[in-house]
């Protein structure tokens, strides 16, 4: 995703087009998630999950045959396979740690080993990119305003958003016993509001410093997680007969009713507050360290920044025609 945003940024000159293009990119997530839920829900309601894979494969082949082939920007460029493996491996292992640790505990040997492995992969990625990679996937020497504090702020916001979405679906499945199709239909506000939010976020870009735009988004994520945590606490406190249905990270949704009831009665607010705490940390880091002045210029400030290739009509061919 960062590479996609970067390509959008360097393709469009500063101004309205550059501000609006990421909005289309951001809106595609909400549209894809909503339509994907409807499609998968429809398949699961009427047929086997195997058909989802078959239709997806057929659609991928069809798109490959019909869509035009992209002209490489750097025909002599190289792919940093080692850096890709180290970075993606570290992220995957780190994600598994945060998914499994609430269920089995942070003191579990597997969690400790995977956490050490993820840190090792990240360190190896940094060493490789800085000292050995001839064409690094992300040069560590990059210098941009507030680039370093911006990374953890965005990471924490994504972690909080992913947790919110996961627990929302888990709530609907485990507590309300909704089917996948009903969840997809109930997800309609997410699709509509997600698209609207993506385009509304583009409006203040030339009028407001970026840290405040990011703070608005972080505040909304914080409010949504507070609402989600509050709904769980109200269910436990107001309806004792449903204590076994509460959703907390440490329960992992794998324990039986007795296990979950014991945990819900002992530590509900502390563990449900982890995601809220992540949102607060992201908001504080953003307001304290991110400093990006709003840019309301139109067009390239330096004509040399424009890509001469943009003025040349590139030949267009589909994937099938290139064979």
């Amino acid at each position: 995703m960062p590479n996609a945003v970067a390509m959008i940024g360097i393709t469009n000159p500063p101004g309205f087009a550059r501000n609006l293009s990421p909005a289309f990119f951001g809106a595609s997530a909400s549209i894809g998630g909503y339509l994907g839920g409807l499609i998968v829900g429809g398949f699961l309601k009427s047929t086997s999950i195997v058909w989802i894979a078959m239709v997806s494969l057929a659609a991928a082949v069809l798109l490959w045959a019909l869509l035009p082939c992209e002209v490489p920007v750097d025909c002599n460029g190289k792919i940093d396979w080692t850096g890709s493996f180290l970075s993606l491996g570290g992220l995957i292992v780190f994600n598994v740690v945060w998914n499994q640790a609430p269920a089995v505990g942070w003191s579990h040997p597997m969690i400790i080993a995977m956490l050490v492995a993820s840190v090792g992969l990240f360190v190896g990625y940094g060493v490789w990119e800085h000292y050995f990679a001839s064409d690094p996937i992300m040069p560590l020497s990059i210098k941009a305003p507030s680039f370093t504090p911006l990374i953890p702020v965005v990471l924490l916001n994504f972690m909080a958003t992913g947790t919110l979405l996961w627990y929302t679906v888990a709530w609907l499945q485990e507590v309300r016993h909704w089917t996948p199709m009903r969840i997809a239909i109930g997800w309609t506000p997410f699709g509509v509001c997600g698209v609207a939010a993506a385009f509304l976020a583009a409006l203040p870009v030339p009028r407001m410093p970026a840290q405040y735009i990011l703070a608005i988004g972080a505040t909304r994520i914080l409010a949504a997680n507070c609402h989600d945590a509050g709904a769980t606490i109200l269910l436990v406190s107001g309806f004792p007969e449903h204590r076994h249905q509460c959703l907390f990270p440490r329960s992992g949704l794998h324990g039986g009713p007795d296990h979950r009831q014991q945990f819900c009665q002992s530590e509900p607010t502390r563990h449900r507050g982890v995601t809220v705490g992540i949102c607060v940390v992201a908001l504080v880091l953003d307001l304290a360290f991110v400093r990006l002045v709003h840019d309301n210029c139109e067009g390239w400030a330096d004509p040399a920044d424009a890509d001469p290739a943009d003025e040349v009509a590139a030949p267009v061919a589909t994937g099938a025609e290139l064979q």
Side-chain angles (χ1 to χ4, degrees):
M1 188 185 69
N3 287 335
V5 175
M7 287 189 290
I8 292 173
I10 64 174
T11 300
N12 298 287
F16 179 76
R18 176 182 286 186
N19 298 338
L20 191 62
S21 296
F24 282 99
F25 177 75
S28 65
S30 299
I31 296 174
Y34 177 56
L35 295 181
L38 290 175
I39 295 173
V40 173
F43 270 102
L44 293 179
K45 185 177 180 180
S46 56
T47 186
S48 170
I49 193 173
V50 177
W51 282 97
I52 300 177
M54 296 178 62
V55 172
S56 299
L57 179 61
V61 173
L62 181 63
L63 290 174
W64 172 82
L66 296 179
L67 292 178
C69 182
E70 182 180 358
V71 178
V73 176
D74 184 5
C75 297
N76 298 319
K78 299 179 181 179
I79 298 178
D80 184 13
W81 293 108
T82 303
S84 300
F85 169 78
L86 292 173
S87 60
L88 289 177
L91 289 172
I92 292 173
V93 176
F94 187 74
N95 184 59
V96 172
V97 169
W98 279 85
N99 277 298
Q100 294 301 313
V104 300
W106 285 94
S107 60
H108 195 282
M110 179 190 68
I111 298 299
I112 297 175
M114 288 195 301
L115 183 60
V116 172
S118 66
V119 173
L121 288 170
F122 285 133
V123 172
Y125 167 74
V127 173
W128 171 263
E129 295 293 292
H130 188 70
Y131 294 104
F132 301 103
S134 58
D135 292 287
I137 190 172
M138 188 186 75
L140 299 182
S141 59
I142 185 173
K143 294 183 179 180
S146 299
F147 181 76
T148 301
L150 195 60
I151 292 177
V153 170
V154 174
L155 173 63
L156 292 173
N157 278 320
F158 266 98
M159 290 174 63
T161 303
T163 303
L164 172 68
L165 297 179
W166 190 90
Y167 273 104
T168 301
V169 174
W171 175 278
L172 296 176
Q173 285 184 325
E174 299 292 325
V175 177
R176 296 190 174 182
H177 305 292
W178 282 17
T179 63
M181 188 61 183
R182 188 175 181 183
I183 293 176
I185 296 174
W187 215 246
T188 301
F190 166 78
V192 175
C193 296
V195 172
F199 286 98
L200 288 175
L203 296 178
V205 170
R207 303 172 178 85
M208 184 185 299
Q211 65 265 25
Y212 298 127
I213 301 176
L214 192 58
I216 294 173
T219 303
R220 299 307 303 161
I221 298 173
L222 172 61
N225 277 283
C226 288
H227 176 273
D228 183 61
T232 304
I233 296 172
L234 286 175
L235 176 68
V236 175
S237 60
F239 302 92
E241 66 274 13
H242 293 295
R243 285 182 186 272
H244 67 281
Q245 293 180 323
C246 70
L247 305 177
F248 295 107
R250 190 171 172 180
S251 70
L253 299 180
H254 300 304
D258 294 337
H259 168 76
R260 283 181 283 183
Q261 180 176 352
Q262 180 182 4
F263 179 76
C264 292
Q265 292 174 339
S266 60
E267 304 179 282
T269 56
R270 182 169 71 88
H271 287 273
R272 285 301 290 147
V274 171
T275 307
V276 175
I278 290 176
C279 297
V280 173
V281 172
L283 185 59
V284 171
L285 289 176
D286 171 50
L287 295 176
F289 299 105
V290 177
R291 292 293 181 270
L292 294 172
V293 180
H294 66 280
D295 186 3
N296 55 6
C297 63
E298 290 284 344
W300 300 109
D302 185 355
D305 292 335
D307 189 353
D310 293 340
E311 306 298 330
V312 180
V316 177
T318 65
E321 292 171 343
L322 292 176
Q323 299 301 313

